[in-house]
Amino acid sequence: MATADTLRELSDRLSFVGLGEQQKRQLSEMRPVITSTIGASLDVFYEKAKRNSHTAAFFSTQDRINHAKSRQEDHWGAIASGAYDGSYVDAVSAVGRTHARLGLEPRWYIGGYALILEGIIKAVVGSELKGLFFDRKAQQVSEKLSVVVKAALVDMDYAISVYLQELENARKRVEAERQQAQDAQTLALTALDVALRRLSDRQLNVRMTEDLSAEFTGIKGNFNQSATELDAALQEIRDAVEQVLSEVGSISSATDDMARRTEQQASALEQTAAALEEITTISSGSAQRTAEVQVVVRESADEATRSGKVVEEAISAMGQIESSSHKMTQIIGVIDEIAFQTNLLALNAGVEAARAGDQGKGFAVVAQEVRELAQRSAAAAKEIKTLIDQSSTDVNRGVDLVNRTGKALVSIGERVNVINEHITSIAQSAREQSSGIDEINSAIRSMDQITQRNAALMEETNASTQHLSGISNGLAELLGRFTTSSTMRPQASYHAMERKRA
């Protein structure tokens, strides 16, 4: 369908060739002449076209010729009408598309127009120059005009042909360049496809070595650089996996050993806890017995103090006995003097009684009895004095012993006090030791619980290490599927490491 742009373009063309309204009316006036001669002109054209080797293929049958002639007659009728509108644009566009589809070159189309215009010119000139004297003139004018038109159309044909040839040459150059670019692109894509297929087969040592055009050298370099970096990265990953496998093996061995040691430590801590329980019991009993000994020592100290006081009282009593003995000795001395005086008086009385004779016999008997009593008193007083002296000696010895006993008791009291202080310190130490042992026991129980938890954690760690070892082994096997520049295989290293560990 014609658009505003195509109609505007048509108007520009008509204006350029000077085909205005007046010319359109003149053309319309010549329409009967044109339409009456167009058929014969087309017959001349199609007859030549059938004999020409270049155009014969387009008009091989009479049906095609009749169809083409009918369309051309309609088209020239529209041209001769002078109505250059949208319908004309659609019609002439259809003719051009048909010729392009058939492959009819413009030179044969222009040649056909030369033959058609020759017939039209002769018809128009003939219709304008009628008469006896004008027929020959009309023929000459029409032939001259035809020659000019043919010359112009041939010149236009060559110009257009050269133009189209240049376009064709340019198209061929573009096509050749496009083909060359396509060949280069095909070569590059083929090389890239081969490289990518090898890369998809996990061959990371693949490189593009084909000679490619300049526009694909960047792709080649980028691919080779990417493959090199990927190769290097996977080699680093492979080395890292081997290190991980080695470390995992060491960690697994260490965790196994640590797990065994942790179990042994847990067992030792359990035994230590049991021993500390016994020590705690013994320490508690010792602290209790120490407290009891402290009580006994304190009571002994108190008893020693009381004994010291008793000894002091005994010493005082001994002193009093010694004083009483001195007094008794003095009294016995008085008695002894009285006995001596009595004996002396009895002796004097006997002497006087002897002097008195018979009258003094009874007095002499009394004096004798008094004398005997005085002697017996003196003898008794002597014996008592002896006993008192012996008793005084014994009392003195007893006082000395009691003094020595008092000193010993005082020393014992002091030593008992020292022992009491030491026992008190020992009891305090025993209590502190018992408290410390309780704390140690609590710490040991806590350590035992922590060790048990550590043992459980070590078992979990060991399981995780085994799992990590499996993952690392899987990763090593996965990496082993890739072919890199290195000839080392991770799985081979891994199995070698496993055999070494075994």
Side-chain angles (χ1 to χ4, degrees):
M1 296 296 291
T3 62
D5 292 336
T6 57
L7 292 176
R8 188 164 46 252
E9 184 179 352
L10 174 62
S11 177
D12 292 338
R13 291 186 178 185
L14 294 175
S15 176
F16 185 79
V17 298
L19 194 59
E21 294 299 327
Q22 181 180 354
Q23 288 76 21
K24 290 179 183 179
R25 285 193 299 269
Q26 292 175 350
L27 186 61
S28 177
E29 292 174 355
M30 289 186 296
R31 181 176 183 182
V33 177
I34 294 174
T35 55
S36 63
T37 61
I38 191 66
S41 298
L42 289 173
D43 290 337
V44 175
F45 167 73
Y46 290 129
E47 188 64 28
K48 286 189 174 183
K50 287 191 299 181
R51 293 194 302 267
N52 188 280
S53 61
H54 296 286
T55 59
F58 301 111
F59 307 103
S60 58
T61 63
Q62 190 62 38
D63 290 337
R64 286 188 176 183
I65 293 173
N66 293 334
H67 178 73
K69 181 179 179 181
S70 175
R71 297 293 297 271
Q72 284 290 333
E73 288 176 343
D74 293 338
H75 182 61
W76 276 101
I79 293 174
S81 68
Y84 289 94
D85 52 11
S87 298
Y88 168 76
V89 174
D90 294 338
V92 75
S93 298
V95 172
R97 284 192 293 270
T98 300
H99 290 172
R101 184 174 67 253
L102 294 176
L104 183 63
E105 296 181 9
R107 61 176 176 166
W108 309 118
Y109 188 67
I110 294 173
Y113 267 59
L115 296 176
I116 293 171
L117 288 174
E118 181 182 9
I120 293 173
I121 290 171
K122 288 181 180 181
V124 172
V125 171
S127 65
E128 294 293 331
L129 297 175
K130 295 179 180 180
L132 178 63
F133 298 102
F134 292 100
D135 289 340
R136 186 174 179 85
K137 187 66 173 180
Q139 183 180 0
Q140 292 177 353
V141 170
S142 61
E143 289 178 354
K144 291 179 179 179
L145 289 175
S146 298
V147 171
V148 173
V149 169
K150 288 180 179 180
L153 289 178
V154 169
D155 184 71
M156 181 176 66
D157 171 28
Y158 268 99
I160 293 175
S161 297
V162 171
Y163 173 76
L164 294 177
Q165 186 63 41
E166 288 299 321
L167 291 179
E168 180 65 18
N169 293 336
R171 185 191 66 79
K172 289 181 179 179
R173 286 195 300 272
V174 171
E175 180 65 21
E177 292 175 356
R178 186 194 65 80
Q179 186 63 39
Q180 184 179 3
Q182 184 176 0
D183 293 341
Q185 180 179 0
T186 302
L187 177 62
L189 290 177
T190 301
L192 183 61
D193 180 66
V194 172
L196 288 175
R197 280 201 305 270
R198 291 181 61 189
L199 189 63
S200 66
D201 291 336
R202 307 182 184 91
Q203 299 180 18
L204 300 182
N205 57 349
V206 61
R207 299 294 183 272
M208 293 178 64
T209 58
E210 294 81 357
D211 292 332
L212 303 180
S213 58
E215 59 268 24
F216 295 105
T217 55
I219 295 177
K220 175 182 176 181
N222 291 334
F223 177 84
N224 290 338
Q225 181 65 25
S226 299
T228 301
E229 292 181 358
L230 183 60
D231 184 20
L234 281 182
Q235 289 188 35
E236 292 180 1
I237 293 173
R238 176 174 293 167
D239 296 338
V241 168
E242 290 182 355
Q243 293 179 0
V244 168
L245 288 172
S246 177
E247 294 298 330
V248 164
S250 300
I251 292 173
S252 178
S253 177
T255 51
D256 289 338
D257 186 44
M258 188 175 292
R260 289 193 298 270
R261 292 178 181 275
T262 303
E263 291 177 357
Q264 295 175 359
Q265 184 180 4
S267 176
L269 280 174
E270 186 176 359
Q271 296 176 0
T272 303
L276 278 176
E277 288 287 347
E278 295 179 0
I279 292 173
T280 301
T281 303
I282 295 172
S283 178
S284 298
S286 298
Q288 183 178 0
R289 286 190 293 274
T290 301
E292 293 175 357
V293 170
Q294 183 181 11
V295 172
V296 173
V297 170
R298 188 180 298 111
E299 292 177 353
S300 298
D302 294 339
E303 188 66 26
T305 302
R306 287 193 296 272
S307 298
K309 293 180 179 179
V310 171
V311 169
E312 290 177 356
E313 292 177 356
I315 291 173
S316 177
M318 288 294 181
Q320 292 177 359
I321 293 171
E322 184 179 8
S323 178
S324 298
S325 297
H326 286 299
K327 291 181 179 179
M328 290 174 63
T329 301
Q330 291 177 359
I331 293 171
I332 289 171
V334 172
I335 292 172
D336 188 44
E337 289 180 359
I338 291 173
F340 179 75
Q341 291 295 331
T342 301
N343 187 27
L344 183 60
L345 289 175
L347 182 59
N348 290 330
V351 173
E352 290 298 329
R355 286 178 181 177
D358 293 334
Q359 293 179 352
K361 290 183 179 180
F363 189 72
V365 173
V366 174
Q368 185 63 30
E369 289 297 330
V370 171
R371 185 179 176 186
E372 290 179 358
L373 287 172
Q375 288 178 350
R376 284 195 298 222
S377 297
K382 188 176 181 180
E383 290 178 1
I384 290 170
K385 183 179 180 182
T386 303
L387 292 174
I388 288 172
D389 290 337
Q390 184 65 36
S391 177
S392 178
T393 302
D394 292 336
V395 167
N396 288 330
R397 189 171 67 252
V399 169
D400 181 61
L401 292 174
V402 168
N403 286 329
R404 292 169 61 187
T405 300
K407 292 179 180 180
L409 287 175
V410 171
S411 178
I412 290 171
E414 292 176 353
R415 294 180 181 275
V416 168
N417 288 329
V418 173
I419 292 172
N420 185 29
E421 292 177 357
H422 288 299
I423 290 297
T424 300
S425 298
I426 292 172
Q428 181 66 26
S429 299
R431 286 192 298 271
E432 292 177 356
Q433 182 180 6
S434 177
S435 176
I437 290 175
D438 288 337
E439 293 178 358
I440 294 173
N441 194 15
S442 176
I444 290 295
R445 285 195 297 270
S446 178
M447 289 176 62
D448 183 51
Q449 294 175 358
I450 294 173
T451 303
Q452 295 294 336
R453 289 196 296 270
N454 288 340
L457 290 175
M458 288 307 301
E459 292 179 358
E460 295 178 359
T461 302
N462 194 15
S464 299
T465 303
Q466 296 297 330
H467 182 61
L468 179 60
S469 177
I471 294 174
S472 299
N473 189 19
L475 182 58
E477 292 179 356
L478 179 61
L479 286 173
R481 300 177 186 176
F482 293 91
T483 302
T484 62
S485 300
S486 175
T487 59
M488 183 180 293
R489 297 295 184 186
Q491 60 268 31
S493 301
Y494 174 76
H495 293 316
M497 185 184 65
E498 288 295 322
R499 289 194 298 271
K500 183 179 180 180
R501 287 179 57 192

